[in-house]
Amino acid sequence: MGLVLFTGDIGTGKTTLLKYLLTELTDETEVAVVFNTNVGAEELLRLIMIEFEVEGVGTDKSRNLDMLNQYLIGVYQQGRRCLLVIDEGQNLSADALEEVRLLSNLQTDTQPLLQIVLAGQPELRETIQSPGFEQLAQRVAIKYHLTPLSREELGEYIQYRLKMAGSSDGKLFSDAALDLLYEAAGGVPRSTNILCNAALVYGYADSLEQISKSVMQQVIDDNLIMQPGLEPGEFAVEAGHSPVAEGESLGKVDESVLNRVRALEGQVANLTAMVSWQAGQIDGSLAKGHENIIKSLTDLLDKERVRSEEYYGRFLALSYEQKRLKSRIESRSSPCMGKNDLEENALEEKGEVIRKKNLLKAFSNLFFAFCM
C-alpha cells in the first residue's frame, strides 16, 4: 500500500507507537524517519534522501528525484522494502504535502516502491480532507485516529507501567483516585503520566501505602493546567492573574492562545523525538567507533609484541656472541704461550678487535631499535 495516515491528539502517544514500530522492523526494511517538518518541499526531499543515506544529494530537485527513484528500484530488486515515516505532519506546508503525494507515485507496474506513514495531530487529517488536496486524499490506503484511553484502559495502562517499574502491589492507586484521575486527564497518556508521577511523589513524601482520592485531588489542585470540571478550551488560573479579557467568563482562554499552546506543545514533542532519535543514532555510532578503535589498537599491539620478541631474541644472541669473543681474547693472551703463538695470536686478536667493534656497533643499533 502507498500511504498510511496516522493522527491523534497531543499526548496520546503517536511518537511512542512510531518508535515501537521501528524497533519491530527487520533488516529487510530500509527506513527513513523525518521529525523536522517545518521545511519546504525541496528541503523535505533532501532530508528524506539523507535519511535513506542516498549519496550525492544536491540542490537540483530533478536530479535528486531521479537518484531517489534509482535507489528505491535498487532496494526493490534486492527483495527488500523502503519505509518513510513523517512525524508532526501537521506542520507540513501545502508544497511539502504535494511532494509527499509525488513520492507516493514512485512505483513499479504493480506496486509502490515507497511505503509512507504520515503522522500528525488532527489538523493534518482536516488539511488532507480539505479542498485542494483531493489527489493526496485518494492516495491514503489506511487512516487511523488514535483516541484517548477509556476508563478501563487507563487502569490497565497504569497497572502495566507499575508492573514494568517493579511494583508487585496491584492497588497502589485506589479506584476512587483513578476515577478522579480519568476525569482530570481525560484518558490522555501524557497528562496521566504527569499526574501519576506527581501523586507518587506526594505519596512517598507522606510515607503512604496507597494513593487515595484525597491525594489525587491535592495533586490536581496544585496543577495549574489540568483540573476536573473545566470544559475543553478552559484552563485553571491563579487569582489576580487571569489571562482573559475583562467581561469574559473566568477560565475561558482566547482561541489564539490555545493555538499557540498547541503549537508550542507540538514543537516540544518534535524536539524531544528528534533528540531521542539522534541520541540513539549517536550511541550506535559511538559504540561502533569504540569497537573499531579497540580492534585497531589490539592489532597494533600484537604486531609490536611480535617485533619486540624478534628484537629481544637478536639481543640475546648478540650478548652471547660478545661473551664468547671476550672469553677467546682472554684465553689467547695467556702468559704461557710461546713467541710465535703470541705473534699469531696478536694478528688474530687484531682481527677479533675489529670484529668486536663491528659487533658492538651492531649491538648498539639493535638496542636502540629495541628500545623504540
Side-chain angles (χ1 to χ4, degrees):
M1 60 192 69
L3 183 63
V4 175
L5 179 61
F6 177 42
T7 59
D9 292 319
I10 295 174
T12 51
K14 299 182 297 299
T15 301
T16 300
L17 288 175
L18 290 176
K19 288 182 178 179
Y20 177 76
L21 167 67
L22 297 178
T23 62
E24 293 296 298
L25 296 177
T26 65
D27 294 337
E28 295 179 355
T29 306
E30 291 290 331
V31 183
V33 182
V34 177
F35 289 109
N36 182 16
T37 52
N38 291 306
V39 295
E42 295 186 9
E43 183 62 23
L44 176 64
L45 176 60
R46 285 193 289 269
L47 285 175
I48 293 171
M49 296 179 67
I50 292 172
E51 287 294 319
F52 274 128
E53 299 182 355
V54 179
E55 297 182 356
V57 180
T59 57
D60 189 326
K61 181 179 178 180
S62 299
R63 184 171 180 273
N64 286 341
L65 276 173
D66 183 64
M67 288 192 299
L68 178 60
N69 188 49
Q70 294 302 318
Y71 170 80
L72 297 176
I73 292 175
V75 174
Y76 175 78
Q77 290 174 343
Q78 297 172 11
R80 302 161 66 208
R81 296 183 296 174
C82 287
L83 170 65
L84 169 61
V85 177
I86 302 178
D87 198 5
E88 300 298 334
Q90 75 278 353
N91 297 327
L92 290 172
S93 63
D95 291 340
L97 285 173
E98 176 63 15
E99 191 67 40
V100 173
R101 185 189 70 82
L102 293 175
L103 291 177
S104 67
N105 287 335
L106 299 177
Q107 56 185 2
T108 65
D109 294 337
T110 57
Q111 59 182 330
L113 294 172
L114 182 63
Q115 170 74 62
I116 302 175
V117 175
L118 185 58
Q121 297 173 19
E123 303 93 277
L124 174 62
R125 181 178 56 180
E126 297 171 2
T127 299
I128 293 180
Q129 292 175 349
S130 63
F133 292 93
E134 291 84 1
Q135 289 182 314
L136 178 60
Q138 292 173 1
R139 298 292 193 280
V140 177
I142 293 178
K143 56 183 177 180
Y144 182 80
H145 182 71
L146 186 63
T147 59
L149 302 173
S150 66
R151 170 60 182 87
E152 181 181 358
E153 292 171 336
L154 180 76
E156 295 173 352
Y157 171 73
I158 293 175
Q159 291 304 320
Y160 176 81
R161 287 187 60 118
L162 290 173
K163 181 180 178 181
M164 291 298 101
S167 173
S168 58
D169 186 358
K171 284 293 184 180
L172 197 56
F173 289 83
S174 69
D175 291 337
L178 292 180
D179 291 338
L180 188 57
L181 171 64
Y182 180 73
E183 184 180 355
V188 176
R190 184 181 299 167
S191 302
T192 299
N193 296 342
I194 293 172
L195 294 177
C196 282
N197 289 339
L200 291 173
V201 172
Y202 281 38
Y204 175 78
D206 293 337
S207 300
L208 301 177
E209 295 184 359
Q210 187 182 59
I211 305 301
S212 63
K213 181 179 179 180
S214 60
V215 175
M216 186 62 69
Q217 184 64 61
Q218 184 182 357
V219 171
I220 296 169
D221 290 342
D222 291 344
N223 192 295
L224 299 180
I225 298 241
M226 302 169 212
Q227 287 195 18
L230 296 180
E231 297 297 329
E234 292 184 343
F235 284 73
V237 295
E238 294 180 289
H241 295 83
S242 176
V244 298
E246 185 176 355
E248 293 184 345
S249 60
L250 181 62
K252 278 291 182 181
V253 180
D254 187 82
E255 186 65 27
S256 62
V257 176
L258 287 178
N259 290 335
R260 289 182 61 188
V261 171
R262 293 192 185 101
L264 288 174
E265 288 184 341
Q267 291 177 13
V268 170
N270 187 18
L271 290 173
T272 302
M274 287 180 62
V275 170
S276 299
W277 179 264
Q278 292 176 357
Q281 297 291 98
I282 291 173
D283 289 344
S285 300
L286 288 177
K288 185 177 181 180
H290 288 164
E291 293 176 358
N292 293 337
I293 292 175
I294 292 174
K295 185 178 184 302
S296 299
L297 291 176
T298 302
D299 293 341
L300 182 61
L301 182 61
D302 291 339
K303 292 179 181 178
E304 287 300 319
R305 184 181 293 110
V306 173
R307 183 180 171 212
S308 299
E309 291 173 354
E310 179 183 351
Y311 280 138
Y312 185 68
R314 294 174 62 186
F315 171 82
L316 293 178
L318 289 174
S319 297
Y320 175 80
E321 182 68 13
Q322 182 192 23
K323 292 180 181 178
R324 189 179 67 81
L325 289 176
K326 183 178 180 181
S327 177
R328 288 182 60 185
I329 291 174
E330 290 175 352
S331 64
R332 294 191 180 194
S333 60
S334 173
C336 62
M337 289 185 175
K339 180 178 180 181
N340 293 335
D341 292 333
L342 291 174
E343 290 177 351
E344 182 179 352
N345 286 341
L347 293 175
E348 291 181 1
E349 182 179 350
K350 183 176 180 180
E352 291 289 345
V353 169
I354 295 174
R355 184 180 175 187
K356 181 179 180 182
K357 288 182 178 180
N358 293 334
L359 183 62
L360 287 174
K361 184 177 180 181
F363 177 82
S364 177
N365 293 336
L366 181 60
F367 178 77
F368 283 114
F370 175 75
C371 291
M372 294 177 63

